[in-house]
Amino acid sequence: MKCLITFCLLTIGLSAVQAQVQINKPKEADRQAPPVAPALTRSEVAGLPTGQGVPGANLSAPTWMKQGLRISYRTNVATQSTRPNNEGGGAGAGIITVDIVAVAQGRVAYDTRFFVGGDANNPAVNSTAYGTVAPVGATGVYWLHPQTLQQIIKNPPAGQKISGGLVEINGKQVNAVRVQQGEAAKDGQETTIYYDPQSGIALQILTKSVGSGMTQTSYTILADTRERTLPWKMGRPPSWLSKYKRYTYTGGISMQMQGAPQMPATPLTAVAEVIEVGANYLAMKQTVQVGNLMGGGNQQPIVVPCVVHGAGQLGSCYLPPMELKQLRQGQVLDEDKVLNSKISVIGVGQTQYGRNVVTIAEDSPGFASYYDYELETGMLLASAYQNKTLNQTIQVILTGLQ
């Protein structure tokens, strides 16, 4: 299941908000990490795919599907008006990252994130994201299981055109399986995907849609596939992973305009409710309530059906505590050439509110993220994100656990 998330955890400085964190520490027994946290699946309630009736549900995971793997794409979208006055046209570039957050017990949790910009003139900044939980053999947006790919080559589904051919990836001609669905001139929508024959990963995606006096085309090409060097990506989850069902983060959104006085932050509250507990991941429904400084009450809540949290990422509500304790200030953990970002440890030690944490930052020309993880429990206590292009900051702290 996929779900859009239009909220990012943001802020520049955690020190000003950390003193406000007032939550109960997990008991000593909860801090010990068992070999595998119990799997308390609530998929039927959440509507997440359980494997029953899902194509490819009985297949084993592809060999490339590992925790901490990142698949990155560069994408360009153009809209051309077919109206008499040519109004409504435009173009834009972006980056898409797909992170394998967790793989366990025949299921995979992965996070798909979209960034606006990413070229020499416009640094990448976060736009939207969604989480997915599915059987490891199921078809994803950006891949087909190799066995499924071979099956559709032999027996093409109705409405699809299958052929082999070459496609240029990063200046090289590579073999690919071409799958086309629909025809823009006939159906109003056309999608053509070139897959790698061995892995089933999408190499190139072309879409075209026609309607309402507009023609929109998008071109998405594989930029990189790599295993991120996150030290905790294969670590054991904390035992409290299955204990809490509701996380509440509160904070605010602020923007600094050049030459203008600092405006008060717009308050927000994010409530994350657990809908599935896997062996080493959480799937959550998130509701974000943003206030309105101009009066008239709160804005319409933003409901995100699914976000995923696990060790194969940065920004999860937890990270394995054993690996966190090995981190040292100044340590560079990972670098992403596509996003032009670097993840590093910027602080280890006791905070103003008496909690021992490690602060991990991801910094790039367009954005910066900061995360405070408690060393004993691995729990995310505070998070921050700065959009450097807009001078916008969002900051949140953990204020409740149930």
Side-chain angles (χ1 to χ4, degrees), residues 9 11-19 21 23 249 314-319 324 344-362 369-384 396-398:
L9 302 180
T11 188
I12 13 183
L14 293 178
S15 59
V17 300
Q18 287 171 342
V21 178
I23 61 175
Y249 288 86
L314 175 63
S316 169
C317 68
Y318 85 92
L319 288 180
L324 288 180
S344 59
V345 180
I346 63 172
V348 180
Q350 195 171 63
T351 65
Q352 298 175 5
Y353 51 90
R355 307 287 279 271
N356 287 318
V357 305
V358 54
T359 302
I360 304 172
E362 180 174 14
S369 303
Y370 303 85
Y371 305 92
D372 255 13
Y373 286 98
E374 186 173 41
L375 286 169
E376 283 185 291
T377 65
M379 186 176 292
L380 178 65
L381 301 182
S383 179
V396 294
I397 57 175
L398 179 65

Side-chain angles (χ1 to χ4, degrees), residues 246-282:
R246 182 183 174 96
Y247 299 69
T248 301
Y249 288 86
T250 58
I253 308 173
S254 60
M255 181 176 292
Q256 180 63 57
M257 304 294 290
Q258 188 173 4
Q262 177 68 54
M263 296 290 292
T266 302
L268 68 82
T269 300
V271 177
E273 299 173 280
V274 176
I275 55 178
E276 178 173 317
V277 181
N280 56 356
Y281 66 86
L282 294 176

Side-chain angles (χ1 to χ4, degrees), residues 23-341:
I23 61 175
N24 296 323
K25 291 185 179 182
K27 297 178 181 179
E28 186 65 36
D30 294 331
R31 295 175 184 154
Q32 307 304 317
V36 176
L40 305 176
T41 301
R42 295 195 287 165
S43 301
E44 293 80 6
V45 176
L48 298 176
T50 60
Q52 195 169 19
V54 177
N58 297 322
L59 298 174
S60 58
T63 56
W64 56 263
M65 187 177 283
K66 301 176 182 179
Q67 286 180 201
L69 182 83
R70 167 169 284 182
I71 307 172
S72 300
Y73 294 89
R74 292 192 180 277
T75 185
N76 288 275
V77 180
T79 302
Q80 183 177 3
S81 175
T82 56
R83 299 167 181 166
N85 56 1
N86 291 323
E87 64 177 348
I95 293 171
I96 303 169
T97 60
V98 184
D99 291 335
I100 304 299
V101 171
V103 181
Q105 298 181 349
R107 292 174 74 72
V108 58
Y110 58 95
D111 175 79
T112 305
R113 200 162 294 267
F114 299 83
F115 298 80
V116 175
D119 54 29
N121 300 319
N122 300 289
V125 294
N126 296 67
S127 175
T128 59
Y130 61 79
T132 305
V133 180
V136 294
T139 297
V141 176
Y142 298 97
W143 63 78
L144 285 174
H145 193 284
Q147 292 184 37
T148 302
L149 184 58
Q150 293 305 313
Q151 290 173 3
I152 69 170
I153 291 174
K154 296 178 181 177
N155 300 294
Q160 292 188 359
K161 298 178 180 179
I162 314 297
S163 62
L166 295 174
V167 63
E168 184 174 317
I169 302 295
N170 297 325
K172 297 181 179 179
Q173 294 287 328
V174 298
N175 289 317
V177 177
R178 181 181 183 273
V179 179
Q180 179 181 329
Q181 177 79 45
E183 295 182 22
K186 177 182 176 182
D187 308 314
Q189 178 75 37
E190 179 180 316
T191 301
T192 303
I193 305 179
Y194 293 84
Y195 292 98
D196 176 70
Q198 280 70 48
S199 68
I201 293 175
L203 302 174
Q204 185 172 282
I205 305 172
L206 307 173
T207 66
K208 185 177 182 179
S209 60
V210 179
S212 302
M214 306 292 289
T215 297
Q216 185 179 77
T217 58
S218 69
Y219 173 77
T220 302
I221 189 168
L222 181 68
D224 191 26
T225 302
R226 67 184 184 92
E227 293 188 41
R228 304 173 76 191
T229 55
L230 304 175
W232 56 77
K233 64 184 179 182
M234 297 305 296
R236 296 176 178 177
S239 59
W240 57 260
L241 192 66
S242 61
K243 179 178 181 179
Y244 301 107
K245 305 305 180 193
R246 182 183 174 96
Y247 299 69
T248 301
Y249 288 86
T250 58
I253 308 173
S254 60
M255 181 176 292
Q256 180 63 57
M257 304 294 290
Q258 188 173 4
Q262 177 68 54
M263 296 290 292
T266 302
L268 68 82
T269 300
V271 177
E273 299 173 280
V274 176
I275 55 178
E276 178 173 317
V277 181
N280 56 356
Y281 66 86
L282 294 176
M284 295 179 171
K285 173 186 175 182
Q286 183 169 277
T287 303
V288 179
Q289 181 68 69
V290 181
N292 191 341
L293 290 180
M294 305 303 292
N298 293 329
Q299 299 179 33
Q300 189 71 20
I302 302 169
V303 179
V304 183
C306 174
V307 293
V308 292
H309 299 262
Q313 64 183 162
L314 175 63
S316 169
C317 68
Y318 85 92
L319 288 180
M322 294 180 64
E323 283 69 23
L324 288 180
K325 294 175 182 177
Q326 305 302 315
L327 301 180
R328 297 294 178 263
Q329 186 166 339
Q331 183 178 353
V332 176
L333 306 177
D334 187 69
E335 295 187 59
D336 193 296
K337 294 181 179 179
V338 178
L339 289 176
N340 194 17
S341 67

